[in-house]
Amino acid sequence: MSETGDLFGADTEETSADSGELTGTEMELLRALDALYQASDKVAIKKLSRNDRGWAWEPKQGKQDGVYISQELRGDFFPPDELVPAREDKPHIRDMAVPVRWPQAPEDEQRDARYVRYTNKGGETHLTRIPRSLFAAAGPASLVVLGRTSQMPGLGLQAVLVDSASTVYGLLESRFDLRPDFQAGVFDSPADDALPERELDELQMFIDEAIEAVETGRLHLLLQKYAEMPAPETLSNQSRHSWLQQNPGCSLNPMELKNPGDAVRRIVSGIEFDLYRQHEVRTRGAKLIKLLLGDGAAPTVSSMVTRLVRDFSGFYSEMLNASQQRKARVGTGFETHIRSLLDAGAVPYAEQRVVSSLRPDFVLPNVELYQASSPHALVLSAKTTLRERWKQVTMEKRSCPVFLATMDEKVAVASVRKMKEHDVYLVVPEAFKAKTGVVVDFALEPNVLSFAEFFREEIAVRRAPIWKML
């Protein structure tokens, strides 16, 4: 049994999302998605809120029935109001039966869904009469994928639910370029080789440059130009500068900024990720070209096929390294921008200091108080995604609480409550604790704080006055 298993009573089995391997069930899920794409002209994707799942629980949570159909999906995917029949007895209610096939659901739950639009309640629109068993078992932030197989009249759908714990979830995010703050959207049904438009633009620009370099005998210059990615600190600085330009008059001072957690999420998952990908296309592409063409001599079909077969491990290693480095860069950026919040808010801290074999991301207010096991110290760790890795930070406790900053929407309530037993508090973007449209299940848990609450209440009100007296 592992050290973590000893501490927490039992080992948690590694999921396919942890290992990156697909189970048989997930392979079936991929085939269901491919069939949906082939049969559809449009694809709608909705990240399930708590209410989108709570109606299926026992006992039922909330007043909502079925999945809420947000504005992004109405009129473009689902029909506009004027094409949905109004009820004779209640003309403000427009509804229609929608034939829909759920390949994951049992036969006794296969039936026409009901699309109902309450025109007297603003945007209130639901898709009801859907398989309860699928939604009752779905984890936080799971995705429902709807393929439009026919349009009005006679709207028809295929539907697949992708659980947030599945490896397929990440594949779906990549295929449709879904960002962490994604809620709902409509897309053209993808071809087998479909890529997001902005990624295609980046690829084509580099392809044109690479072709010219090969044709003119200047491949070595291209390889030199894109030999290395910019340093993580460089990309983080550029992304912060870009955010400040987009938000004139704002600073990253968490004591003043309305939603500092949302700002960090936007910088890390949006701006910095785009910057990283622009450089990644060129750096990784240059390394693959070098593997394929070698010394830059005029390529032949024979030479390229030979290199692809004989040097397969090199190509595989390069792509695996690309995937791992992308995840690592996101985590590094997250830590960097949390440091920016600490600096901008004049919060005292020590970073990445080794204490008795421990190396917390941040110790507040100083390492001396932490070494003395003072309850007035605290640990602030940063992890973009959690799963079972939150257990690692409990090792960093020295009679003080641990605050764990994350952008992970997929954490189960049971895990959050387990964290509380070990004096671990989550620090999350403000959007996670919004009054409406909340995706996470843990928004109301007492050990979950927004970034604003962490800085303005936990630090400024509760701890800073004590630190000044020490």
Side-chain angles (χ1 to χ4, degrees):
M1 184 174 289
S2 68
E3 182 178 351
T4 301
D6 288 332
L7 177 63
F8 292 91
D11 279 321
T12 300
E13 292 186 8
E14 183 182 52
T15 66
S16 63
D18 294 320
S19 66
E21 297 179 359
L22 293 173
T23 65
T25 300
E26 289 173 331
M27 290 299 295
E28 292 179 7
L29 180 57
L30 279 178
R31 285 191 284 270
L33 286 170
D34 286 338
L36 182 151
Y37 302 149
Q38 293 297 323
S40 308
D41 71 313
K42 290 282 187 180
V43 174
I45 303 177
K46 168 81 188 292
K47 183 178 286 185
L48 299 181
S49 71
R50 179 183 173 87
N51 287 341
D52 290 330
R53 299 157 46 240
W55 65 271
W57 298 345
E58 292 292 347
K60 176 182 176 180
Q61 299 289 312
K63 299 179 180 180
Q64 179 174 313
D65 289 320
V67 172
Y68 179 78
I69 303 301
S70 55
Q71 180 63 46
E72 297 93 333
L73 310 186
R74 299 197 301 269
D76 188 12
F77 186 85
F78 287 98
D81 289 354
E82 59 269 19
L83 296 183
V84 182
R87 285 177 46 173
E88 292 185 4
D89 58 333
K90 297 180 179 179
H92 61 279
I93 300 177
R94 294 176 174 268
D95 67 359
M96 58 184 290
V98 180
V100 55
R101 175 68 184 172
W102 300 84
Q104 299 155 292
E107 284 300 322
D108 61 1
E109 291 192 271
Q110 302 287 352
R111 57 180 177 174
D112 287 356
R114 178 173 175 254
Y115 177 78
V116 55
R117 174 84 176 89
Y118 300 93
T119 59
N120 64 330
K121 296 182 179 180
E124 193 77 10
T125 309
H126 293 164
L127 186 68
T128 65
R129 294 174 58 84
I130 55 182
R132 179 180 295 273
S133 62
L134 289 184
F135 288 84
S142 295
L143 298 169
V144 62
V145 184
L146 304 173
R148 190 172 66 184
T149 57
S150 62
Q151 302 183 45
M152 290 291 291
L155 176 68
L157 303 175
Q158 284 193 26
V160 172
L161 195 150
V162 180
D163 193 272
S164 55
S166 169
T167 297
V168 177
Y169 191 95
L171 299 177
L172 190 67
E173 286 181 312
S174 297
R175 184 155 204 171
F176 290 94
D177 197 26
L178 307 183
R179 299 307 176 87
D181 58 355
F182 171 83
Q183 295 296 319
V186 177
F187 308 86
D188 290 330
S189 185
D192 290 340
D193 59 349
L195 284 170
E197 183 176 346
R198 58 186 169 194
E199 191 161 332
L200 283 171
D201 291 342
E202 289 295 327
L203 286 173
Q204 193 57 53
M205 290 173 63
F206 175 73
I207 288 169
D208 292 342
E209 186 179 5
I211 290 173
E212 181 181 4
V214 173
E215 290 178 341
T216 58
R218 294 184 291 179
L219 179 58
H220 64 289
L221 297 178
L222 180 84
L223 299 179
Q224 291 175 8
K225 180 179 179 182
Y226 298 121
E228 300 293 339
M229 292 280 292
E233 194 73 25
T234 300
L235 290 179
S236 295
N237 289 338
Q238 290 175 352
S239 63
R240 280 196 302 277
H241 179 69
S242 178
W243 183 87
L244 290 169
Q245 285 185 319
Q246 295 171 17
N247 297 272
C250 290
S251 75
L252 284 172
N253 184 345
M255 306 301 179
E256 300 173 354
L257 185 61
K258 182 178 180 181
N259 296 318
D262 290 348
V264 167
R265 191 183 188 209
R266 166 62 185 154
I267 294 170
V268 173
S269 301
I271 300 172
E272 186 164 347
F273 187 81
D274 282 342
L275 286 173
Y276 177 82
R277 187 162 51 186
Q278 290 170 14
H279 292 285
E280 181 189 45
V281 164
R282 291 162 172 78
T283 300
R284 296 296 174 191
K287 291 182 178 180
L288 291 173
I289 290 172
K290 183 177 182 180
L291 284 170
L292 183 62
L293 300 184
D295 57 8
T300 65
V301 172
S302 175
S303 67
M304 288 190 290
V305 170
T306 299
R307 285 186 175 274
L308 282 171
V309 175
R310 291 188 180 279
D311 297 335
F312 170 77
S313 61
F315 288 95
Y316 177 78
S317 296
E318 186 61 38
M319 298 311 297
L320 181 62
N321 184 43
S323 175
Q324 292 172 338
Q325 187 173 8
R326 179 179 286 194
K327 293 176 182 178
R329 284 294 185 105
V330 171
T332 301
F334 188 42
E335 291 179 22
T336 300
H337 299 304
I338 289 176
R339 185 201 311 137
S340 296
L341 295 182
L342 292 167
D343 289 336
V347 179
Y349 68 93
E351 183 179 8
Q352 295 286 340
R353 299 286 292 276
V354 178
V355 179
S356 300
S357 78
L358 302 175
R359 192 173 182 175
D361 293 331
F362 303 96
V363 172
L364 284 59
N366 54 56
V367 72
E368 291 77 19
L369 211 59
Y370 178 65
Q371 285 177 319
S373 297
S374 169
H376 299 307
L378 67 83
V379 170
L380 175 60
S381 288
K383 292 187 183 296
T384 51
T385 58
L386 294 184
R387 297 195 181 280
E388 296 301 309
R389 295 189 302 143
W390 67 266
K391 296 176 181 178
Q392 299 167 6
V393 304
T394 63
M395 309 296 183
E396 299 172 354
K397 289 178 55 180
R398 294 175 65 91
S399 302
C400 67
V402 174
F403 290 82
L404 180 52
T406 187
M407 299 189 296
D408 195 345
E409 297 174 294
K410 309 177 189 69
V411 187
V413 169
S415 293
V416 177
R417 292 174 180 172
K418 193 70 174 177
M419 293 179 206
K420 188 174 187 297
E421 294 176 12
H422 294 275
D423 213 16
V424 175
Y425 298 79
L426 280 184
V427 181
V428 301
E430 288 72 29
F432 286 19
K433 299 192 70 177
K435 292 183 178 179
T436 59
V438 175
V439 170
V440 300
D441 291 351
F442 53 75
L444 299 179
E445 296 301 308
N447 59 321
V448 177
L449 293 74
S450 69
F451 274 75
E453 290 171 332
F454 172 74
F455 280 102
R456 295 201 276 269
E457 296 177 19
E458 184 66 32
I459 299 299
V461 175
R462 296 190 182 95
R463 295 184 177 271
I466 297 174
W467 292 345
K468 290 178 181 178
M469 294 186 294
L470 295 176

